[in-house]
Amino acid sequence: MSSAQQLALRFHRRRFPPTPAVASTCCAFSPPRRDSSLTSSSSGGDMSPEISMLIRRAAFILAVLTLSALLLYTSTDSLRFIRVSPGSISSSSFARIFFLDNSSTPNPTQQLEEVLKNASIGNKTVILTTLNYAWVSPNSVVDLFLKSFKLGDGTERLVDHLVMIALDEKAYNRCLVIHKHCFALVTEGVDFQEEAYFMTPNYLKMMWRRIDFLRSVLELGYDFVFTDADIMWFRDPFPRFYPDADFQIACDNFLGSPDDMNNRPNGGFNYVKSNNRSIEFYKFWHSSRETYPGYHDQDVLNKIKLHPYISEIGLKIRFLDTAYFGGLCEPSRDLNLVCTMHANCCFGMDSKLHDLKLMLQDWRAFLSLPPDLKNESIISWRVPQNCSLDSLRHFDSQPPWMNVQPEEED
């Protein structure tokens, strides 16, 4: 057998070592080393057709693998969801919480802190709301929520400090279109994108996930105002908060004193300062769901607010007056005072949207009045209307000039 034939046979029998696994970070691909004898021999004359074909095949395979690795790296870099399995962050307050963000840092705690830092008012205070796709889809609750900031007295600037916490991927993608501070809190194995009806299993999971997440925000050292998205912001609420309270919360029914523990709280709006007392309180609140299974966070709060442990940790609770922080359960009567109005005591998305639009119409009508008529408080709310429950008080009908036209689109 000639030397050229022996060389071809040796090359044919050679096997390339297995290529390294291509990770999402795209490990460098190292082709097999070429045989020095092959190099020296082939340089002296033309390679045989068999050798040339094998080299072309090897080059083709190398190109395909390199391109595949590059595509895999690009797609991995574009993924925004980071799924953390329950318990995978040992002894961390973020266990059972799944974060999403477009930050390059792999640490979910750092990701959340970056979003909060970008939205902070300056003294580590942020405004938070949670949304699923049913609430953030076009022409839904979130559009009215943002519009209220635009129409409110001194509230438009506060939007820059609002973080929208998306509970599903669709909500997050929609948030990126309409707002600049977005963060995702998704629960593995649970689909929150549909409307979660009151007291259904998904509703309860959503509410308790929210409580656990808010504790995590406190542990990062941030004070927050939490607001449901079905709350219209008409004035800056910060001047109405109590300076000495750790935890202050709106009410379905306010009995006249901010210290009266018989007030009925509503978890849709609260202002919480970050300290050891508030962190311990949120831990206790969240763990109490096991003591009262089947109850949502608001009902559990109403049960534990007089618990001795609250006094033991020294938590200072204050209840917010419905004159400033009203809702459909107990509306703020004076539009000269109102800061926020909540579409509470309301069931069903259509009813909620209808009455929220009426709120914005009534507010616009109030703003259109000359100062002297505003001070006379001749305008009040026409809500609740579609949200009316038998237990809700109905207010006197408004004069003919209060028949405001349907809400105009901006």
Side-chain angles (χ1 to χ4, degrees):
M1 183 180 297
S2 66
S3 60
Q5 290 174 329
Q6 291 177 354
L7 179 62
L9 181 60
R10 185 166 70 251
F11 187 91
H12 178 73
R13 288 177 176 174
R14 181 177 179 177
R15 294 291 184 266
F16 291 149
T19 57
V22 182
S24 60
T25 54
C26 188
C27 299
F29 178 82
S30 300
R33 294 179 297 177
R34 295 178 61 185
D35 194 326
S36 59
S37 62
L38 175 62
T39 304
S40 60
S41 299
S42 61
S43 61
D46 294 337
M47 290 184 291
S48 67
E50 292 85 353
I51 296 175
S52 178
M53 182 178 296
L54 288 172
I55 292 176
R56 286 199 299 270
R57 287 179 179 175
F60 176 75
I61 293 172
L62 175 61
V64 170
L65 288 174
T66 302
L67 179 60
S68 300
L70 179 62
L71 291 175
L72 180 60
Y73 174 79
T74 303
S75 63
T76 302
D77 184 61
S78 65
L79 287 174
R80 296 181 181 273
F81 273 91
I82 300 177
R83 299 189 179 276
V84 184
S85 299
S88 64
I89 308 178
S90 60
S91 68
S92 168
S93 63
F94 293 90
R96 304 189 305 277
I97 294 181
F98 302 82
F99 296 95
L100 166 102
D101 188 51
N102 58 357
S103 171
S104 59
T105 174
N107 189 314
T109 307
Q110 293 175 358
Q111 291 179 351
L112 175 59
E113 191 164 18
E114 181 180 349
V115 175
L116 297 175
K117 180 180 179 181
N118 291 337
S120 175
I121 291 176
N123 57 348
K124 297 195 74 173
T125 300
V126 292
I127 302 169
L128 306 173
T129 191
T130 52
L131 297 161
N132 65 351
Y133 187 67
W135 279 44
V136 79
S137 58
N139 302 314
S140 64
V141 170
V142 74
D143 294 320
L144 301 177
F145 177 62
L146 292 175
K147 185 177 290 187
S148 74
F149 282 89
K150 184 177 180 180
L151 297 175
D153 181 6
T155 53
E156 188 168 9
R157 63 180 177 81
L158 297 176
V159 175
D160 291 336
H161 308 294
L162 170 69
V163 178
M164 292 186 177
I165 310 299
L167 299 175
D168 59 80
E169 185 176 2
K170 285 186 177 181
Y172 180 76
N173 291 334
R174 168 69 173 159
C175 179
L176 293 177
V177 174
I178 63 176
H179 194 55
K180 64 180 180 180
H181 300 304
C182 303
F183 193 80
L185 172 66
V186 295
T187 305
E188 193 149 343
V190 181
D191 183 8
F192 282 146
Q193 68 183 20
E194 301 298 330
E195 180 180 359
Y197 291 97
F198 186 70
M199 293 306 294
T200 59
N202 261 15
Y203 174 87
L204 295 176
K205 289 178 182 177
M206 190 183 301
M207 295 301 101
W208 286 115
R209 175 64 69 217
R210 183 175 78 184
I211 296 300
D212 201 30
F213 174 77
L214 293 177
R215 171 191 49 77
S216 302
V217 174
L218 293 173
E219 289 184 335
L220 288 175
Y222 282 85
D223 302 347
F224 64 78
V225 176
F226 177 82
T227 173
D228 278 345
D230 61 345
I231 294 179
M232 301 293 99
W233 284 52
F234 296 122
R235 286 187 178 86
D236 183 350
F238 285 94
R240 298 295 183 182
F241 292 144
Y242 299 99
D244 62 339
D246 301 311
F247 176 83
Q248 39 201 307
I249 187 167
C251 298
D252 283 340
N253 300 108
F254 182 73
L255 302 180
S257 171
D259 302 313
D260 190 340
M261 298 301 286
N262 292 314
N263 288 311
R264 293 196 62 84
N266 184 293
F269 188 91
N270 48 70
Y271 175 47
V272 189
K273 293 180 180 178
S274 174
N275 54 45
N276 291 335
R277 295 182 297 275
S278 61
I279 292 170
E280 285 302 313
F281 168 66
Y282 266 81
K283 289 179 180 178
F284 177 63
W285 188 1
H286 186 259
S287 66
S288 295
R289 76 193 189 284
E290 299 175 358
T291 307
Y292 303 99
Y295 287 86
H296 65 78
D297 60 312
Q298 186 171 303
D299 282 343
V300 171
L301 173 61
N302 212 40
K303 291 178 178 295
I304 67 172
K305 63 187 180 183
L306 295 174
H307 194 282
Y309 186 67
I310 303 298
S311 299
E312 181 181 330
I313 63 177
L315 185 78
K316 296 181 180 178
I317 300 177
R318 296 291 183 272
F319 297 92
L320 299 172
D321 193 336
T322 52
Y324 308 108
F325 303 93
L328 299 184
C329 297
E330 192 170 289
S332 303
R333 295 180 177 274
D334 190 347
L335 275 72
N336 289 288
L337 299 178
V338 64
C339 293
T340 63
M341 272 283 284
H342 190 184
N344 51 8
C345 293
C346 187
F347 298 96
M349 183 65 72
D350 291 339
S351 296
K352 191 178 292 284
L353 288 171
H354 178 274
D355 280 23
L356 287 173
K357 290 176 181 178
L358 280 182
M359 281 188 204
L360 293 180
Q361 292 173 22
D362 293 344
W363 178 253
R364 277 177 159 166
F366 170 76
L367 293 179
S368 68
L369 294 175
D372 56 334
L373 291 181
K374 285 181 182 178
N375 294 332
E376 292 179 8
S377 301
I378 62 175
I379 293 182
S380 189
W381 307 106
R382 292 176 292 167
V383 292
Q385 194 173 100
N386 284 15
C387 287
S388 297
L389 301 176
D390 292 338
S391 60
L392 295 179
R393 296 186 297 273
H394 293 272
F395 298 92
D396 295 336
S397 59
Q398 303 296 329
W401 50 264
M402 274 295 294
N403 293 326
V404 184
Q405 296 300 314
E407 185 73 14
E408 299 176 358
E409 297 295 333
D410 289 338

